[in-house]
Amino acid sequence: MSKPFKGVINIDIKDSTPDWTPYAQPVPPKGAPNVVYLVLDDVGFSALEPYGGPIEVPNIKRVADKGLKYTNFHTTALCSPTRSCLLTGRNHTTNGMACISEASSGFPNANGHIPEECAMAPEILGEQGWSTFMVGKWHLCAEDEENLASRRLGWPSGRGFDRWYGFIGAETNQWYPDLIHDNHTVDPPKTPEEGYHLSIDLTDKALSFVRDMKAVAPDKPFFIYYAFGAGHAPHHAPKEWADKYKGKFDMGYEKIRETILENQKKLGIVGKDVELSPINPYADLKGPKGQDWPALDVVRPWDSLTDDEKKLFARMAEVYAGFVSHADHEFGRFLDYLEETGELDNTLIIIVSDNGASGEGGPNGSVNENKFMNGIADTIKDNIKYLDVLGSPKTYNHYPTGWAWALNTPNKMWKRYSNYQGGTADPMIVSWPAKIKKPGIRHQYQHAIDIVPTIYDCLGVEMPEVYRGATQVPLEGQSFKATFDDEKAPGRETQFYSMLSTRGIYHKGWKAASVTPATPDGWADFTNQRWELFNTENDPSEIHDLADKEPEKLNELISLWWSEAGKYQALPLESRTAVDILGTDRPMLTKPRQQYTYYPDCAEVPEAVAVNVRNRSYAIGADVTIDKDPAGVLFAHGCRFGGHALYIKDGKLKYDYNYVGMEDQYVVSSKPVPTGDCRLAAVFEKEGTGMPTTGTLSLYINKEKVGEAKIKTQPGKFSLAGEGLNIGRDGGEPVTPDYPGDAPWAFTGGTIHKVIVDVSGEPVVDLEKEAVGAFARD
């Protein structure tokens, strides 16, 4: 996109004519609008009040009241894939994001790297003169790139954003997030006790990015991708926000669905004849080899719950609602700034969610998802103890499937299900007060790939054929700008869906859907897979299967699916088990080794590339020089919900193995740590081959054993996403509450030279548990 030099060059500069055009910063068209692109996470079609739902979002509503609510907007049913569409205007398979980036398979459709040939909106707009910012969740680069040793070409800063602040992976603790500011890791500016919450922090940074730019260039427009963690698990909310919903979910999910549908009909979100989808429509189905429907993808009828279960489940919904309302409140601060500065009128605002409400909490929900990822069942007896602290730093919580079903009203199923509306139907709100003069509702069929073309259309920007040397894949979405003024303007005619082993195809009001659960192997007999057929004009909630009555129409749509799949490189389809997917040999910066050396004053090492001590013998040795009154962290890996740490307290060496947040297993030295040079070590010797792995943890000062105890170690990762390894401190959430001093519990009273972790022993392997964890992070 560089421009040629058109000046005159002679021997003497006085006889030459300059041309600054190739070297000047790009200037946008006069009066160009700002773009605010708000992306919510796991917020279902009917969750929000403007769509008939129970969650109050007055600031999103004020945008909706001045703009358009789209009732037929769709996503891919999963996070990374949808977000790739939202930023490129191409299908997820074209973008190499057939599934979450962690499940890449090494094929063009699923490699976890969005190609340069699919330039993102911030790349194109930045070249046209817009400042480009991002705050919040990324989840658009492969796991091997989510660290400081990578080239970071797939990070936001490598894909066109001038400034960014947020988290790189699928999820993060909202109280103790794993943060990156531009290209380096940072700690949160405050603690939860000091009032910290990620939603507040993201808005603070969004405001500072825009203000910093406007202080220099007040007339320059900006594009901001504003991606809250809300409402993805963990559902973390300030208590006062959760308490606003006390009692509002006590009726249960079946009843609240009836209320939501009634609201939707009054608002005109759905037609008057729309029906509610039934509970568990596929629970009794059997797979081609006699497989049962996944036990985690069913809803427990509210009347079958005990009183304690009803109390717990209702509070889980209250916390989720408070989480989303709190994010809306923070977004309101950004809207206030736009209004106060006179920018709001000429700002194009787009609000969407990335997929349907999430069913990842299973039928019973969870107060600590890390237990589930380690093969440990949540029990009501254990979980009810956390009733009063749900949503606080003491929990890593997710509501049960019943609420996902309710917050997708009137649709069936939930996130991951690309074959059904519950996974793909989402809210979309568009406002541009300077251009959209008549607020209202639009029912045209739209998809996530249509938003970027619409942005370009509104801004008068043309997609270049070549961007920075890469010939561009043509945009696969289509602008819906015409719908701003014309409620009868045509929408999208055709859209194919593919996620895990689920498939779907929409064409001119008809929908064909494969009958399969949204699991990795998903009964994936693609040749003989049964399909359903729905007339979505009359049956938008996909209740009445017309496959037997309209076999020709069904076959037409199935053939169209294969055609679209070929067109957008959707093959090969995923049919492997979760274990096979986890075991895929993927590119790595370095191969696993038997010994790892770490040094103090370095950034946190993400768990994906840190030493793996799971289910094996290991030794941690810290080479230190002790001066006087030593205290603090030597080595820490993990957090409150699972991890281990070696530290000094009261002059003694201590080790804690925090087993999945359920039990702190302490070992304390019988002698104080001496002054001078020494090696302080914790050595674990596993015993047997069972899981969880058990054995003896011994403490050593130099070569002398000074303590030992039997411990058990967790089979899966310490954290679903984030909370890596630290030396000389424990950033974020502590592994143990026993540390001396205050956060980040830095080591004092001496010098840490290095910490060596040896893992030369053979591990016990349970890939099934590993695989479950991998697919819980979308």
Side-chain angles (χ1 to χ4, degrees):
M1 297 178 70
S2 61
K3 299 176 181 178
F5 177 81
K6 294 183 178 180
V8 177
I9 299 175
N10 286 311
I11 294 174
D12 192 324
I13 193 171
K14 290 182 291 186
D15 299 324
S16 304
T17 304
D19 176 19
W20 287 104
T21 304
Y23 316 114
Q25 293 204 40
V27 178
K30 187 177 181 180
N34 307 308
V35 180
V36 176
Y37 203 164
L38 178 66
V39 180
L40 301 171
D41 203 335
D42 292 1
V43 173
F45 177 71
S46 64
L48 307 180
E49 186 180 21
Y51 282 77
I55 301 178
E56 297 172 6
V57 283
N59 294 292
I60 290 175
K61 185 176 184 296
R62 78 195 241 208
V63 174
D65 288 346
K66 292 184 177 181
L68 301 170
K69 291 187 290 186
Y70 288 79
T71 66
N72 219 348
F73 170 71
H74 296 80
T75 61
T76 71
L78 208 54
C79 171
S80 302
T82 292
R83 289 165 192 261
S84 78
C85 299
L86 292 174
L87 285 170
T88 69
R90 285 89 164 184
N91 282 290
H92 60 309
T93 48
T94 303
N95 291 324
M97 288 284 180
C99 192
I100 54 174
S101 56
E102 294 87 349
S104 57
S105 61
F107 292 92
N109 69 329
N111 58 75
H113 299 83
I114 298 175
E116 295 178 356
E117 291 78 8
C118 296
M120 291 188 178
E123 294 176 297
I124 301 303
L125 296 182
E127 294 279 359
Q128 296 291 324
W130 274 260
S131 287
T132 56
F133 309 123
M134 181 204 154
V135 292
K137 173 176 172 175
W138 185 238
H139 203 199
L140 283 176
C141 59
E143 198 170 29
D144 68 288
E145 198 178 356
E146 296 177 357
N147 60 78
L148 295 182
S150 73
R151 293 192 65 200
R152 286 162 272 185
L153 296 178
W155 287 29
S157 50
R159 295 308 305 248
F161 286 103
D162 300 333
R163 305 290 308 280
W164 87 279
Y165 181 85
F167 55 103
I168 199 80
E171 67 182 44
T172 196
N173 189 311
Q174 301 291 302
W175 301 110
Y176 295 96
D178 293 277
L179 292 171
I180 297 174
H181 192 173
D182 294 334
N183 254 17
H184 59 281
T185 59
V186 294
D187 289 331
K190 295 190 292 187
T191 66
E193 293 75 20
E194 295 169 327
Y196 183 85
H197 189 280
L198 181 58
S199 295
I200 300 172
D201 194 11
L202 294 180
T203 295
D204 288 344
K205 282 297 184 293
L207 289 168
S208 70
F209 286 167
V210 174
R211 286 168 174 161
D212 287 349
M213 181 272 289
K214 290 289 186 180
V216 177
D219 296 327
K220 188 178 184 182
F222 62 86
F223 169 93
I224 185 165
Y225 180 69
Y226 206 130
F228 280 117
H232 196 292
H235 300 160
H236 284 157
K239 186 175 185 298
E240 63 272 20
W241 283 89
D243 286 348
K244 290 176 181 287
Y245 289 92
K246 271 194 174 295
K248 293 189 177 180
F249 294 90
D250 289 355
M251 68 182 75
Y253 23 76
E254 287 105 329
K255 288 290 184 183
I256 209 165
R257 290 184 86 228
E258 296 174 5
T259 301
I260 291 172
L261 182 60
E262 183 179 343
N263 293 339
Q264 289 175 325
K265 291 180 178 180
K266 288 178 181 177
L267 292 169
I269 301 299
V270 301
K272 294 182 179 180
D273 296 326
V274 169
E275 303 172 71
L276 283 174
S277 59
I279 190 171
N280 299 325
Y282 303 105
D284 295 330
L285 283 183
K286 296 288 185 180
K289 298 180 181 179
Q291 308 101 309
D292 290 328
W293 188 262
L296 292 176
D297 277 352
V298 298
V299 174
R300 296 180 62 196
W302 190 259
D303 289 344
S304 72
L305 305 180
T306 66
D307 288 344
D308 276 350
E309 287 171 331
K310 290 177 180 178
K311 191 183 302 183
L312 179 67
F313 288 13
R315 184 56 177 173
M316 287 175 169
E318 293 169 5
V319 169
Y320 175 82
F323 184 25
V324 176
S325 285
H326 179 242
D328 172 81
H329 174 76
E330 292 306 310
F331 179 59
R333 290 201 290 131
F334 193 82
L335 291 179
D336 290 344
Y337 165 79
L338 294 177
E339 196 160 34
E340 291 163 5
T341 56
E343 298 273 358
L344 184 61
D345 191 55
N346 196 29
T347 297
L348 173 64
I349 301 176
I350 301 163
I351 301 174
V352 299
S353 177
D354 63 348
N355 44 244
S358 171
E360 290 156 359
N364 295 316
S366 177
V367 302
N368 176 4
E369 275 198 303
N370 211 24
K371 289 171 64 178
F372 171 73
M373 303 315 152
N374 280 273
I376 302 168
D378 272 303
T379 67
I380 297 300
K381 182 179 178 181
D382 289 337
N383 289 354
I384 198 70
K385 300 173 186 175
Y386 292 90
L387 182 68
D388 294 332
V389 294
L390 271 176
S392 77
K394 295 181 180 180
T395 62
Y396 205 95
N397 47 303
H398 195 303
Y399 58 42
T401 48
W403 295 120
W405 179 50
L407 299 179
N408 288 330
T409 299
N411 304 313
K412 60 188 173 186
M413 308 317 294
W414 35 77
K415 175 182 176 180
R416 292 180 283 115
Y417 281 84
S418 76
N419 41 353
Y420 300 120
Q421 287 277 88
T424 64
D426 280 287
M428 179 172 72
I429 296 168
V430 178
S431 171
W432 189 7
K435 298 294 183 181
I436 298 176
K437 298 298 185 180
K438 187 178 180 181
I441 294 176
R442 297 291 183 267
H443 299 294
Q444 290 91 340
Y445 197 97
Q446 307 293 354
H447 189 268
I449 60 174
D450 297 326
I451 294 179
V452 163
T454 304
I455 292 173
Y456 294 162
D457 194 7
C458 292
L459 273 52
V461 170
E462 291 188 11
M463 183 71 203
E465 292 184 4
V466 178
Y467 174 76
R468 295 198 171 181
T471 300
Q472 292 296 292
V473 173
L475 293 172
E476 294 167 356
Q478 60 189 45
S479 172
F480 54 84
K481 182 186 175 187
T483 67
F484 291 1
D485 299 318
D486 184 359
E487 61 182 314
K488 295 183 179 179
R492 167 166 290 279
E493 285 192 349
T494 305
Q495 181 60 41
F496 92 105
Y497 296 89
S498 176
M499 184 58 58
L500 298 168
S501 60
T502 68
R503 294 181 287 165
I505 181 79
Y506 169 89
H507 183 63
K508 295 183 178 179
W510 290 88
K511 168 85 173 287
S514 66
V515 183
T516 176
T519 52
D521 58 342
W523 305 355
D525 181 357
F526 298 116
T527 303
N528 301 309
Q529 203 170 51
R530 183 166 76 84
W531 291 71
E532 294 173 309
L533 178 69
F534 305 104
N535 182 337
T536 63
E537 298 288 337
N538 302 324
D539 180 24
S541 40
E542 302 172 343
I543 298 172
H544 304 291
D545 179 15
L546 303 177
D548 292 338
K549 294 182 179 179
E550 300 275 359
E552 291 184 5
K553 175 61 71 174
L554 177 60
N555 289 331
E556 173 192 334
L557 264 64
I558 293 173
S559 296
L560 182 59
W561 187 93
W562 287 107
S563 174
E564 295 291 290
K567 183 177 179 180
Y568 299 118
Q569 64 178 35
L571 305 179
L573 299 175
E574 185 59 82
S575 63
R576 299 169 298 167
T577 66
V579 171
D580 292 333
I581 295 172
L582 180 69
T584 297
D585 187 16
R586 298 184 179 91
M588 301 178 66
L589 283 173
T590 60
K591 294 182 179 180
R593 48 199 188 272
Q594 294 188 340
Q595 195 172 88
Y596 293 71
T597 302
Y598 298 106
Y599 297 92
D601 301 319
C602 290
E604 182 175 290
V605 181
E607 184 164 9
V609 291
V611 59
N612 176 4
V613 301
R614 297 191 297 278
N615 312 310
R616 69 197 313 163
S617 297
Y618 57 86
I620 305 167
D623 289 342
V624 301
T625 299
I626 302 298
D627 298 327
K628 183 181 179 182
D629 299 327
V633 175
L634 301 169
F635 166 97
H637 190 181
C639 64
R640 175 198 299 271
F641 304 104
H644 63 149
L646 185 66
Y647 58 104
I648 297 176
K649 182 178 182 180
D650 299 328
K652 292 188 175 183
L653 183 64
K654 298 191 74 171
Y655 176 86
D656 174 36
Y657 195 104
N658 177 343
Y659 184 74
V660 202
M662 298 172 61
E663 179 185 359
D664 284 289
Q665 303 168 95
Y666 293 107
V667 188
V668 185
S669 68
S670 58
K671 295 182 178 182
V673 176
T675 58
D677 295 338
C678 57
R679 169 166 285 190
L680 308 177
V683 179
F684 175 70
E685 291 287 344
K686 71 179 177 69
E687 300 168 359
T689 58
M691 296 187 70
T693 303
T694 59
T696 301
L697 188 291
S698 302
L699 291 180
Y700 289 86
I701 297 177
N702 295 318
K703 295 183 179 181
E704 181 183 2
K705 182 187 289 189
V706 292
E708 69 174 23
K710 296 285 187 181
I711 67 168
K712 57 184 175 180
T713 66
Q714 63 188 62
K717 289 187 175 182
F718 290 132
S719 182
L720 305 184
E723 287 294 356
L725 183 153
N726 289 278
I727 303 299
R729 66 198 299 272
D730 191 355
E733 191 170 31
V735 170
T736 171
D738 188 53
Y739 291 146
D742 300 316
W745 307 281
F747 178 70
T748 59
T751 302
I752 301 172
H753 302 293
K754 62 183 177 181
V755 176
I756 298 173
V757 185
D758 186 283
V759 286
S760 54
E762 290 297 316
V764 177
V765 178
D766 188 336
L767 286 176
E768 194 68 51
K769 288 188 175 67
E770 290 278 311
V772 169
F775 282 93
R777 299 194 299 165
D778 52 3

